[in-house]
Amino acid sequence: MPQNKDFFQKVYAVVRQVPLGKVSTYGAVAAYLGSKQSARMVGWAMNLSHTQFPPVPAHRIVNGKGLLTGKRHFASPDLMQQLLEAEGIGVKHDCVENFEAFFWDPAKHLSPVYNNTGSMED
DNA sequence: ACGTTGACCTATA
DNA sequence: GTATAGGCCAACG
């Protein structure tokens, strides 16, 4: 099975499953998909997220330190923080306050292994 | 087509 | 604690 392409789709899927008012990390999603070392690919997926549809809430994805590293890739550098604050997440100096409290781990809330929710392959 | 870059993370020195 | 290295793989120049 072509995991390479599914990886991106899975990333988008997981990110979309992130509850509102919560945040996740690249490593968490990557690890959830089975390869925490592919965290960079998650970032790449986010980079292309603007080309994907439906849109991916990339603003809920921050780095392992809760830092809004990707804010500069949004339409506006402050857009990411704005969205997070709009969801009730305190952001200061591009850092998520109480990040661990808002941290949403897919491996803890979603299935141990991402079963294609739609089973579209079959 | 090859080389570099990239919204990262972990480990070692 | 900071600095450097390694790893993943797709997109861009």
Side-chain angles (χ1 to χ4, degrees), chain A residues 69-113:
Chain A
T69 51
K71 66 167 194 164
R72 68 191 201 97
H73 287 274
F74 281 75
S76 274
D78 294 325
L79 180 61
M80 189 174 185
Q81 179 171 340
Q82 295 298 318
L83 291 170
L84 289 174
E85 290 182 329
E87 297 193 354
I89 300 174
V91 180
K92 228 43 159 195
H93 297 289
D94 303 330
C95 304
V96 176
E97 294 182 331
N98 203 0
F99 161 67
E100 295 184 11
F102 293 108
F103 176 60
W104 183 83
D105 191 350
K108 284 186 175 181
H109 294 264
L110 295 182
S111 321
V113 200

Side-chain angles (χ1 to χ4, degrees), chain A residues 44-60:
Chain A
W44 260 130
M46 294 291 91
N47 192 7
L48 303 180
S49 63
H50 76 99
T51 63
Q52 300 299 316
F53 185 84
V56 181
H59 63 271
R60 293 184 191 152

Side-chain angles (χ1 to χ4, degrees), chain A residues 34-45:
Chain A
S35 299
K36 60 179 180 183
Q37 296 182 315
S38 302
R40 299 182 100 190
M41 300 292 79
V42 180
W44 260 130

Side-chain angles (χ1 to χ4, degrees), chain A residues 3-75:
Chain A
Q3 285 181 331
N4 35 29
K5 282 199 167 184
D6 279 349
F7 188 82
F8 277 65
Q9 294 303 320
K10 286 176 180 177
V11 171
Y12 301 137
V14 173
V15 174
R16 290 195 202 107
Q17 298 341 298
V18 176
L20 192 148
K22 291 283 183 177
V23 292
S24 189
T25 72
Y26 309 91
V29 178
Y32 174 63
L33 297 181
S35 299
K36 60 179 180 183
Q37 296 182 315
S38 302
R40 299 182 100 190
M41 300 292 79
V42 180
W44 260 130
M46 294 291 91
N47 192 7
L48 303 180
S49 63
H50 76 99
T51 63
Q52 300 299 316
F53 185 84
V56 181
H59 63 271
R60 293 184 191 152
I61 304 299
V62 296
N63 70 343
K65 306 180 190 78
L67 195 71
L68 282 56
T69 51
K71 66 167 194 164
R72 68 191 201 97
H73 287 274
F74 281 75

